[in-house]
Amino acid sequence: MFDEAKAQKTLRFIENLKHTKGIWHGQNFKLLPWQEEIIRTIFGTVKNDGYRQYNTAYIEIPKKNGKSELAAAVALYMTCGDGEWGAEVYGCASDRQQASIVFDVAVDMVDQCSALKKRIKPVMSTKRLVYQPTNSFYQVLSAEAYTKHGLNVHAVIFDELHSQPTRELFDVMVRGSGDARKQPLYFLITTAGTDRNSICYEQHQKAEDIIAGRKIDPTYYPVIYGAADDDDWTDEKVWYKANPSLGHTIDIEKVRNACRSAQDNPAEENAFRQLRLDQWVKQSTRWMPMEKWDACAFPVDPKELEGRDCYGGLDLSSTSDITAFVLVFPPRTDDEKYIVLPFCWIPEDNMRLRVRRDHVPYDVWEKTGHLMTTEGNVIHYGYIEHFIEKLNEKYHICEIAFDRWGATQMVQDLEGMGFTVVPFGQGYKDMSPPTKELMKLVLEQRIAHGGHPVLRWMMDNVFVRTDPAGNIKMDKEKSTEKIDAAVATVMALDRAIRNANKETESVYDRRGGILFI
């Protein structure tokens, strides 16, 4: 139910604070409609016992919409105005400097409010504001989660949740930390991020599910302002939809300038869409346009490939990580496509741990047959060697390209089985031609991969490094974002192309430069 008096109490407190930035400095904090709706809903919606219904609020909104000021106001209210004796209010972010942004706004608000300034003692050396009448405080914390157990939390202000490097601090601060309080509040405020395996994206998905009615959680209040994935990011109507403060705290001309710059420089597009439109883009410099990759998910029937020539790419992991072996079948006629057949392995004993740690559905892929496990907690190379030997009974594996690193013993074993193995460097010289050729084949829809989910995930993780000569090679941004199967695909494709063109000029010579889209 809704308690208007409780909502008005919070609104009055906040609107007696003053703005701290720019031309609004010193003016009363008049909440914009979207801000007022959030405050009214959180603080006015109560249970039958009169305590707040919502203990978690997830607010996702593009930058410069005034979220830091709103977060600072909520922090001060939870410290000074909520009537909680000994309230512990914590400001958290990816690091202490980031958490201090909201704290510093709160300090400026206190300095401009004589009633609060008389009652609050700032301890700037430890980033703490102590509200003396109730012995409550607002304190900045950094990300060292192991030091945070045992806190008696009344409120947590999480700023830029998308920047959290792991989920540890979030779990420590949110899971059970407020059990001793009647109405704790976890106020999560953030811009969209790029890591879809993060705690922030987990909360984003939960918020979306609640908004869409797919999940029900009466304690969770979700607010997402942003453009849909299929919205035209250059359309000003979309900008207004995503930015409720556009025209107030955001100058439309600055957004126009940023959009024009992003249109002129594709490298800026993802940053514009993430920060200005609150879209979850995969990486700031992602290489593969996934809609083009998905358009190449033509059916692949392994049985129909039996007896055909193919070329392998082997990317060995460390003993506890993913190993990938990919076969590429070259076209026999002009009408056929290059066909990709991937195989991936992970140690069985550490798979569950990796699912929890990396938030990657290895277990689901294993059940669907797209990922295999080897017994134990390390990769069983002997099992993989035997698997490749059995594959050769179905397909004619002409060559296997391999990364020299860590592959000495397996290479010797495969040579002993009669395979032709070819070392493949991971630098620009060897990687650039087939990587560029892979992009051409994808854009021309001359490759078929069957929509293999593990390969798709890894291809989505790829970004490229470029040397001064314009050569490229695959790389990754985060250790949990694997690209092994993508690298193995490039190596196998290289051997398929070179061998298919031995009697003619190289495709690398015939082709023009890489297409940019």
Side-chain angles (χ1 to χ4, degrees), residues 317-322 345-354 366 371-384:
S317 66
S318 65
T319 56
S320 61
D321 217 330
I322 297 175
W345 295 267
I346 193 173
E348 182 177 17
D349 288 357
N350 69 18
M351 181 177 68
R352 304 291 175 186
L353 172 64
R354 293 176 64 90
E366 191 266 339
L371 179 70
M372 293 171 280
T373 59
T374 65
E375 186 177 356
N377 59 5
V378 296
I379 284 289
H380 193 309
Y381 290 151
Y383 174 87
I384 296 175

Side-chain angles (χ1 to χ4, degrees), residues 18-37:
K18 295 186 184 299
H19 282 287
T20 65
K21 305 292 183 184
I23 62 174
W24 298 281
H25 182 272
Q27 298 180 28
N28 279 16
F29 190 174
K30 177 62 178 175
L31 293 168
L32 295 172
W34 71 271
Q35 295 171 322
E36 181 175 342
E37 181 180 356

Side-chain angles (χ1 to χ4, degrees), residues 294-484:
D294 292 339
C296 295
F298 304 105
V300 172
D301 185 349
K303 287 189 175 295
E304 292 183 358
L305 297 171
E306 291 182 5
R308 284 184 54 176
D309 287 354
C310 59
Y311 298 83
L314 178 63
D315 192 16
L316 290 181
S317 66
S318 65
T319 56
S320 61
D321 217 330
I322 297 175
T323 285
F325 181 66
V326 175
L327 294 177
V328 170
F329 296 77
R332 298 165 297 184
T333 67
D334 291 341
D335 295 333
E336 286 190 340
K337 304 178 188 299
Y338 285 87
I339 298 175
V340 179
L341 194 61
F343 305 92
C344 299
W345 295 267
I346 193 173
E348 182 177 17
D349 288 357
N350 69 18
M351 181 177 68
R352 304 291 175 186
L353 172 64
R354 293 176 64 90
V355 169
R356 294 193 302 271
R357 185 188 69 191
D358 301 344
H359 310 293
V360 176
Y362 300 112
D363 53 344
V364 175
W365 293 334
E366 191 266 339
K367 288 178 182 176
T368 59
H370 293 104
L371 179 70
M372 293 171 280
T373 59
T374 65
E375 186 177 356
N377 59 5
V378 296
I379 284 289
H380 193 309
Y381 290 151
Y383 174 87
I384 296 175
E385 293 167 4
H386 180 68
F387 185 92
I388 294 174
E389 187 177 31
K390 297 293 287 185
L391 277 181
N392 200 42
E393 296 175 4
K394 295 182 180 180
Y395 316 115
H396 180 217
I397 303 176
C398 301
E399 289 182 358
I400 297 175
F402 68 94
D403 176 5
R404 299 182 184 89
W405 184 86
T408 304
Q409 185 59 53
M410 182 175 282
V411 167
Q412 292 176 356
D413 294 342
L414 291 174
E415 286 178 328
M417 296 175 183
F419 288 102
T420 300
V421 291
V422 180
F424 196 96
Q426 301 299 294
Y428 293 107
K429 174 179 174 293
D430 289 333
M431 288 294 291
S432 186
T435 302
K436 291 181 177 182
E437 187 63 24
L438 175 60
M439 177 63 80
K440 284 182 178 291
L441 293 174
V442 168
L443 296 180
E444 295 168 357
Q445 294 190 15
R446 294 188 56 233
I447 194 166
H449 52 69
H452 194 283
V454 182
L455 178 58
R456 185 194 189 280
W457 170 64
M458 292 187 180
M459 199 63 68
D460 197 19
N461 290 335
V462 172
F463 80 112
V464 293
R465 296 192 184 279
T466 306
D467 71 4
N471 297 306
I472 64 173
K473 65 176 182 176
M474 289 184 168
D475 210 328
K476 57 185 179 179
E477 284 190 324
K478 297 182 174 66
S479 60
T480 58
E481 295 187 336
K482 305 302 177 185
I483 63 172
D484 310 76

Side-chain angles (χ1 to χ4, degrees), residues 37-45 52 54 57 185 187 221:
E37 181 180 356
I38 288 172
I39 296 302
R40 286 179 60 82
T41 304
I42 294 173
F43 293 94
T45 307
R52 279 190 294 273
Y54 297 113
L185 177 64
F187 193 78
Y221 177 55

